[in-house]
C-alpha cells in the first residue's frame, strides 16, 4: 500500500518523526487489509477511495487527543482487554437512567459499585423528532439529542468514564439514516450525488423483485421494505421503518462518510461501536439481503482503517442472525478475528428463556453443541435481556435434534411468555405478530418474564422466591458463559414492566417500551441499604445482592477469559445444564438446575471432569464426587473447579449459602436466634471476598 507517492504524502503530513513512524507502521500493518477488501468490493473505484481515506485518516490521527493516543498504546499492549472476566457491561438509555449526559456523570459511583467497565448508552446521537425507533433513526451523527446534552458533554463524560476504567460504547447505525438526515434531504431535493447514497427506484419493478425474497422486520407498523416518497419521486428502500432510509454501501462515498464518522466519534472518546443492523448493509437480488459476503469485507476494511488511527477502538456486531451466519461477524477464512471484536450471542439469550419455560435444557445443549467456535481473540456480548423484543430464534434443525418441532416450540414460547400458556409465570406482551409466519415476538422486562409481576400480585412468597431464583439463575449462566456480560438497566433491581409506556405518544405503538422503564433511584437506595444488611428481604435488595455476589466471583475466576469456549456436556437430567470451560488453570464445570424441583443429580459426570473433590466458587462449598448423588436445589447454580478450597482457611461462604436460603425461603431468618444471626453476619466479610464489591 505504501507507494512512493504515499510515502511522500506521509512525509509532508507530519512534523513529528515519532508520530509519522507510528502512523507508517500501522499503515504497513493494516493498509493491505484495507486495500484488499476495498478492491474486492469497489473494484476500479477502490484506488481513488483509498486516496480519500488516507486524508480522512491523517486528519483524524492529527486531531486525536493525547490521552486517547495513550489509550491506543495501552490497548496495543493488552489486545485482550475486552476478553477478561473483569469486563462488565451495563446498558441504559441516558434519559431513563439519569436524565442527561451530565446526569450520567453523577451516577458513576453506582456503576463502579457494580464493577461496570463498559457502558453502552443506547442511541443518543440526534434522532429525528417524533417516532424514531428508540433513537435508531439518526438525523445527525455529529450532534447529541438536545435534551440529553451536547457533543462536548459527550466528550467530557467519555473522559470521566475513561478515568474510572469504564469504556464508552455507542451505537453506530450503519444500515440507515433518518429521512431528515442531511444526505436524505439532499437526495430528496434531487442532488444526484446524494441520491446515490440511497436505494431509490422510480417504479415497483425492482422493489417487487427484491420483495420476493425479503423478510419483513416490523410487519405490524412498517410492512414491506420500500416506501413511496413523493418528493424524492421514487420507492425508497426502508428495511425497518418508513422514516429510516437504507444507505447504499455500494457507493464508495458512503464508506468514506462512515469512516469519517467513526473516527470523529472515536476522537470524542467512544471506545466501542455497536454496529447496528450490520447484517443488512449489502443488497443482492434473490437473497434475503442479509449476511452478504460484502458486509464482512466492508467491516474488515472499516476495522483496518480504524486500527490505523485509533487502535483502542473495538467493534461489536449487532447481527441477530442464525449461528452459521453469525460466526462470520467475528471472522472466518480471510477475515478470521479481523472484523468485529465482539458479537451478540442472541441464541444463548433465547435458549435461556426457552429452557426456563420448558424446564428442559436439551434444546439449549444441542444448540450450543452445534455452535461453531469463535476466533480466540474475539468475545461474545452475553445478555439476559436488552432493549429489543425477544424473537424466538430457535433453529428447526436444533429443535429436530431433540425431537421437537421448531414451529411448535416457537409457538409454545410465544404462548408461554405472553402468559397465555396454562400455568405460565410470565407477563410479556406480543410484539409484531406476523400472521403469515405465525411469529410472535415478546416484550417485557426480565423480572416480569421470570414471573415476578405475577408472584407479587398473588402475594405468594414461594412464587416470589422462584421468580428471583430464576432471574439469578439466568444471570449466573450469562456470567459463567464467558464474554462481556451486558447487564440491562433495571435488571439488577428486578424492575417490572412499565405498564404506562403508551402514555408517551411516540412510544404508544411500540411495546418494546414496556421493558425500557425509568431508573428508580429511590429503589436503588433502598436495595443498596437492604443488601448492606446482609439479610436482604425486598425483591430489589435480594436481586441486587445476589447479582453483586455473582459479579464478584466472576471477576476472580480466570477460567472465564473469553479466549476459551463454554461447551455443553450431555446431562443425565434434562432439567440440568452442564457447561464446561477448559482453561490453562484447569476445568471449570458449571451446573445449572433450570427447574423449581429439588433434583437428585448423579456425581459421575462431575467426577469424570473434576476428580474426587470439587469446590464450588459460588457457594464456597466442597463436594465429594465419589459419594452419593448431589442434592440440587431449585434453580441452583454451581461453578465447580477440581480439588478443595484453594483458600488457606476454608470456610463455606455463609453469606451466599444464606442468600440462597433467603431466595428460596425468606422466613428462615425468623427461625434462628437473633444472637446467632448477628454473629453469623458480622463475621462474613472477613471470611468471604464476595462482600468486597464496591458500592
Ligand atoms: C437494531 C436495534 C433496534 C432497532 C433496529 C433498527 O436491531 O437494536 O432497536 O429497531 O436496529 O435500527
Amino acid at each position: 500500500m505504501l507507494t512512493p507517492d504515499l510515502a511522500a504524502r506521509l512525509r509532508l503530513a507530519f512534523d513529528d518523526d515519532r508520530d509519522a513512524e507510528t502512523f507508517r507502521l500501522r499503515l504497513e500493518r493494516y493498509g493491505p487489509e484495507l486495500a484488499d477488501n476495498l478492491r474486492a468490493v469497489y473494484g476500479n473505484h477502490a484506488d481513488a477511495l483509498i486516496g480519500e481515506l488516507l486524508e480522512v485518516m491523517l486528519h483524524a490521527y492529527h486531531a486525536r487527543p493525547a490521552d486517547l493516543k495513550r489509550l491506543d498504546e495501552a490497548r496495543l499492549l493488552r489486545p485482550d482487554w475486552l476478553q477478561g472476566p473483569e469486563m462488565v457491561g451495563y446498558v441504559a438509555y441516558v434519559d431513563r437512567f439519569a436524565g442527561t449526559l451530565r446526569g450520567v456523570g453523577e451516577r458513576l459511583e453506582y456503576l463502579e459499585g457494580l464493577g461496570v467497565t463498559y457502558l453502552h448508552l443506547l442511541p443518543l446521537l440526534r434522532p429525528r423528532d417524533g417516532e424514531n425507533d428508540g433513537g435508531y433513526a439518526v438525523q445527525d451523527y455529529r450532534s447529541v439529542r438536545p435534551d440529553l446534552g451536547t457533543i462536548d458533554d459527550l466528550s467530557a463524560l467519555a473522559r470521566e468514564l475513561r478515568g474510572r476504567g469504564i469504556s464508552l460504547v455507542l451505537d453506530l447505525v450503519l444500515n440507515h439514516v433518518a429521512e431528515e438526515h442531511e444526505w436524505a434531504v439532499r437526495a430528496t431535493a434531487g442532488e444526484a450525488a446524494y441520491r446515490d447514497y440511497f436505494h431509490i427506484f422510480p417504479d415497483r419493478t425492482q422493489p417487487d423483485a427484491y420483495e420476493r425474497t425479503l423478510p419483513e422486520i416490523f410487519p405490524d407498523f412498517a410492512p414491506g421494505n420500500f416506501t413511496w416518497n413523493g418528493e424524492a419521486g421514487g420507492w425508497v428502500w426502508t428495511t425497518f421503518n418508513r422514516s429510516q432510509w437504507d444507505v447504499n454501501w455500494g457507493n464508495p462515498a458512503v464508506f468514506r462518510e462512515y469512516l469519517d464518522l467513526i473516527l470523529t466519534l472515536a476522537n470524542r472518546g467512544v471506545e466501542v461501536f455497536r454496529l447496528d443492523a450490520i447484517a443488512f448493509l449489502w443488497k443482492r437480488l434473490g437473497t434475503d439481503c442479509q449476511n452478504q459476503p460484502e458486509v464482512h469485507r466492508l467491516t474488515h476494511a472499516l476495522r483496518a482503517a480504524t486500527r490505523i488511527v485509533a487502535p483502542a477502538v473495538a467493534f461489536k456486531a449487532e447481527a441477530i442472525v442464525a449461528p452459521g451466519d453469525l460466526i462470520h461477524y467475528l471472522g472466518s477464512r480471510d477475515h478470521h478475528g479481523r472484523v468485529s471484536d465482539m458479537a451478540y450471542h442472541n441464541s444463548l439469550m433465547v435458549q435461556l428463556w426457552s429452557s426456563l419455560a420448558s424446564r428442559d435444557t436439551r434444546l439449549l445443549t444441542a444448540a450450543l453443541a452445534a455452535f461453531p467456535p469463535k476466533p480466540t481473540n474475539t468475545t461474545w456480548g452475553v445478555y439476559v435481556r436488552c432493549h429489543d423484543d425477544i424473537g424466538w430464534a430457535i433453529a428447526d434443525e436444533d429443535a429436530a435434534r431433540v425431537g421437537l418441532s421448531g414451529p411448535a416450540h416457537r409457538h409454545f414460547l410465544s404462548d408461554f411468555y405472553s402468559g397465555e400458556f396454562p400455568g405460565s409465570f410470565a407477563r410479556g406482551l406480543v410484539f409484531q405478530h406476523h400472521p403469515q409466519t405465525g411469529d410472535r415476538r415478546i416484550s417485557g422486562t426480565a423480572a416480569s418474564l421470570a414471573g415476578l409481576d405475577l408472584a407479587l400480585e398473588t402475594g405468594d412468597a414461594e412464587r416470589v422466591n422462584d421468580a428471583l431464583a430464576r432471574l439469578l439463575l439466568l444471570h449466573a449462566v450469562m456470567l459463567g458463559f464467558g464474554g462481556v456480560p451486558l447487564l440491562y438497566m433495571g435488571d439488577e433491581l428486578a424492575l417490572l414492566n412499565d405498564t404506562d409506556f403508551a402514555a408517551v405518544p411516540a412510544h404508544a405503538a411500540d411495546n418494546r417500551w414496556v421493558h425500557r422503564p425509568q431508573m428508580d433511584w429511590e429503589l436503588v437506595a433502598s436495595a443498596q441499604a437492604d443488601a448492606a444488611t446482609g439479610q436482604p428481604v425486598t425483591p430489589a435488595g435480594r436481586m441486587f445482592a445476589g447479582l453483586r455476589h455473582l459479579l464478584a466471583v466472576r471477576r476472580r475466576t480466570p477460567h472465564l477469559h473469553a479466549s476459551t469456549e463454554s461447551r455443553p456436556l450431555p446431562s443425565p437430567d434434562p432439567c440440568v445444564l452442564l457447561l464446561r470451560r477448559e482453561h490453562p488453570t484447569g476445568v471449570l464445570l458449571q451446573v445449572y438446575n433450570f427447574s423449581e424441583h429439588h433434583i437428585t443429580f448423579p456425581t459421575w459426570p462431575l467426577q469424570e471432569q473434576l476428580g474426587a473433590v470439587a469446590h464450588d466458587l459460588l457457594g464456597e462449598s466442597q463436594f465429594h464426587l465419589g459419594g452419593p448423588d448431589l442434592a440440587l436445589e431449585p434453580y441452583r447454580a454451581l461453578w465447580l473447579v477440581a480439588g478443595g478450597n484453594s483458600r488457606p482457611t476454608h470456610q463455606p461462604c455463609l453469606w451466599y449459602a444464606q442468600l440462597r436460603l433467603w431466595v428460596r425461603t425468606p422466613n428462615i431468618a425468623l427461625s434462628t436466634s437473633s444472637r446467632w444471626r448477628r454473629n453469623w453476619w458480622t463475621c462474613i466479610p472477613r471470611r468471604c471476598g464476595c462482600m468486597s464489591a464496591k458500592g
Side-chain angles (χ1 to χ4, degrees):
M1 163 135 186
L2 219 52
T3 59
D5 278 1
L6 263 183
R9 174 72 191 90
L10 287 189
R11 272 195 301 278
L12 280 180
F14 291 97
D15 300 330
D16 181 328
D17 283 350
R18 246 187 71 192
D19 256 5
E21 199 51 23
T22 300
F23 191 88
R24 194 191 161 104
L25 281 170
R26 292 188 196 160
L27 197 63
E28 278 170 10
R29 164 66 183 82
Y30 290 107
E33 290 181 35
L34 174 64
D36 290 353
N37 284 291
L38 291 179
R39 288 195 185 113
V41 176
Y42 297 120
N44 293 341
H45 300 290
D47 285 341
L49 174 63
I50 291 167
E52 290 171 23
L53 296 181
L54 188 70
E55 295 305 325
V56 171
M57 290 188 287
L58 279 171
H59 176 78
Y61 184 77
H62 285 305
R64 191 150 173 83
D67 59 334
L68 288 171
K69 284 191 168 165
R70 194 173 177 281
L71 184 68
D72 291 333
E73 296 304 321
R75 291 273 159 83
L76 289 169
L77 293 174
R78 216 196 134 199
D80 67 340
W81 68 277
L82 262 182
Q83 296 186 291
E86 70 288 350
M87 285 303 292
V88 177
Y90 192 85
V91 184
Y93 279 99
V94 172
D95 52 350
R96 309 240 132 194
F97 179 63
T100 61
L101 287 168
R102 288 183 185 200
V104 174
E106 285 158 23
R107 297 292 184 185
L108 299 188
E109 271 175 31
Y110 175 68
L111 298 177
E112 285 185 311
L114 285 168
V116 170
T117 56
Y118 165 117
L119 178 62
H120 174 194
L121 294 177
L122 284 154
L124 54 80
L125 300 177
R126 186 179 183 157
R128 69 192 294 268
D129 292 336
E131 201 296 312
N132 55 36
D133 189 22
Y136 287 96
V138 181
Q139 179 173 334
D140 181 6
Y141 290 86
R142 294 173 194 273
S143 66
V144 165
R145 202 176 100 186
D147 59 318
L148 303 181
T150 66
I151 195 80
D152 289 332
D153 292 340
L154 184 69
S155 305
L157 177 62
R159 203 173 312 117
E160 177 68 29
L161 289 168
R162 202 157 56 245
R164 296 176 188 238
I166 304 176
S167 298
L168 176 64
V169 185
L170 280 203
D171 288 272
L172 185 72
V173 188
L174 290 179
N175 179 65
H176 44 263
V177 298
E179 63 180 327
E180 291 79 5
H181 188 286
E182 187 196 347
W183 305 338
V185 170
R186 295 177 77 164
T188 306
E191 283 189 50
Y194 285 95
R195 280 182 84 88
D196 282 351
Y197 276 42
F198 300 97
H199 306 272
I200 305 176
F201 305 99
D203 56 40
R204 281 299 303 184
T205 316
Q206 291 223 54
D208 285 345
Y210 279 111
E211 283 287 17
R212 272 178 219 125
T213 50
L214 283 176
E216 286 176 306
I217 306 299
F218 292 142
D220 246 14
F221 43 63
N225 287 275
F226 299 87
T227 301
W228 174 255
N229 186 299
E231 277 181 81
W235 289 92
V236 181
W237 199 313
T238 52
T239 300
F240 290 84
N241 287 292
R242 293 184 186 91
S243 58
Q244 289 164 301
W245 287 25
D246 289 32
V247 293
N248 171 17
W249 280 84
N251 177 356
V254 165
F255 186 97
R256 191 200 57 230
E257 297 271 16
Y258 270 99
L259 178 64
D260 190 25
L261 289 174
I262 289 174
L263 298 181
T264 304
L265 291 167
N267 281 353
R268 290 268 173 197
V270 178
E271 295 182 31
V272 181
F273 287 94
R274 174 187 180 274
L275 304 178
D276 179 73
I278 187 174
F280 298 83
L281 301 192
W282 199 265
K283 321 294 188 194
R284 177 164 281 115
L285 195 62
T287 71
D288 61 0
C289 296
Q290 290 182 49
N291 314 310
Q292 298 299 307
E294 287 81 356
V295 172
H296 308 303
R297 291 209 170 278
L298 291 166
T299 318
H300 194 158
L302 280 176
R303 181 179 185 263
T306 305
R307 291 273 145 150
I308 292 169
V309 177
V313 166
F315 286 170
K316 172 173 63 165
E318 193 258 334
I320 308 304
V321 299
D325 292 319
L326 178 61
I327 206 67
H328 302 298
Y329 290 84
L330 295 177
S332 52
R333 294 184 287 275
D334 287 357
H335 307 304
H336 188 89
R338 297 160 166 205
V339 268
S340 290
D341 306 277
M342 177 174 168
Y344 282 101
H345 204 316
N346 180 60
S347 296
L348 178 67
M349 185 271 291
V350 167
Q351 292 287 351
L352 290 180
W353 291 104
S354 161
S355 291
L356 210 56
S358 63
R359 282 77 160 175
D360 190 326
T361 64
R362 283 174 294 187
L363 177 56
L364 164 54
T365 300
L368 289 181
F371 223 87
K374 61 173 182 44
T376 53
N377 65 335
T378 62
T379 188
W380 293 117
V382 282
Y383 59 120
V384 165
R385 278 304 282 122
C386 74
H387 68 289
D388 278 328
D389 51 286
I390 304 179
W392 300 115
I394 303 276
D396 288 349
E397 315 82 73
D398 288 337
R401 278 192 197 107
V402 293
L404 292 175
S405 136
H409 189 62
R410 293 192 291 270
H411 190 87
F412 157 70
L413 291 172
S414 299
D415 278 354
F416 191 91
Y417 283 105
S418 59
E420 285 164 37
F421 193 83
S424 162
F425 48 71
R427 270 288 166 82
L429 301 181
V430 171
F431 178 71
Q432 303 292 324
H433 180 200
H434 197 312
Q436 274 97 48
T437 62
D439 275 357
R440 280 170 300 152
R441 286 137 66 179
I442 294 290
S443 294
T445 65
S448 292
L449 296 184
L452 191 58
D453 251 353
L454 205 60
L456 290 172
E457 237 168 60
T458 57
D460 180 338
E462 195 54 33
R463 285 194 187 197
V464 173
N465 298 337
D466 280 344
L468 290 171
R470 283 185 202 109
L471 272 180
L472 281 171
L473 176 82
L474 293 189
H475 282 85
V477 186
M478 164 180 83
L479 292 166
F481 191 78
V484 182
L486 304 170
L487 305 175
Y488 183 59
M489 189 208 86
D491 286 352
E492 72 275 30
L493 303 166
L495 283 193
L496 300 174
N497 281 346
D498 176 3
T499 46
D500 288 337
F501 76 90
V504 178
H507 299 169
D510 184 344
N511 69 25
R512 289 177 297 176
W513 286 97
V514 83
H515 55 251
R516 300 169 180 173
Q518 292 284 352
M519 190 52 155
D520 182 340
W521 290 103
E522 278 177 27
L523 188 64
V524 168
S526 70
Q528 284 174 326
D530 194 15
T533 62
Q535 305 184 23
V537 290
T538 62
R542 288 159 71 189
M543 182 62 202
F544 191 74
L547 181 62
R548 263 202 351 193
H549 169 68
L550 291 170
L551 288 165
V553 177
R554 181 180 197 271
R555 256 195 303 281
R556 53 174 191 259
T557 305
H559 311 70
L560 293 171
H561 190 281
S563 55
T564 58
E565 298 273 336
S566 282
R567 304 305 302 178
L569 294 178
S571 168
D573 190 313
C575 295
V576 177
L577 172 71
L578 294 180
L579 284 183
R580 178 181 193 274
R581 292 180 71 78
E582 184 152 356
H583 185 268
T585 54
V587 169
L588 172 68
L589 189 67
Q590 303 171 34
V591 183
Y592 300 107
N593 177 2
F594 270 78
S595 78
E596 60 272 69
H597 310 302
H598 287 269
I599 303 249
T600 307
F601 195 75
T603 47
W604 61 262
L606 314 178
Q607 194 183 7
E608 259 177 25
Q609 301 295 326
L610 300 169
V613 182
H615 172 66
D616 172 29
L617 301 173
L618 291 176
E620 294 261 337
S621 43
Q622 211 160 292
F623 294 94
H624 290 276
L625 301 178
D629 291 347
L630 214 65
L632 274 183
E633 294 160 42
Y635 300 116
R636 180 73 192 261
L638 303 173
W639 290 0
L640 300 175
V641 292
N645 191 348
S646 48
R647 292 169 187 224
T649 52
H650 168 65
Q651 293 284 347
C653 174
L654 302 177
W655 180 82
Y656 185 63
Q658 184 75 330
L659 179 80
R660 286 207 54 77
L661 285 175
W662 266 303
V663 166
R664 297 293 314 151
T665 49
N667 291 340
I668 192 136
L670 305 176
S671 66
T672 54
S673 91
S674 60
R675 176 139 176 263
W676 182 82
R677 277 207 319 270
R678 218 172 27 247
N679 291 343
W680 175 302
W681 287 103
T682 47
C683 64
I684 290 158
R686 274 177 288 125
R687 287 184 175 164
C688 165
C690 70
M691 294 294 282
S692 64
K694 292 175 273 173

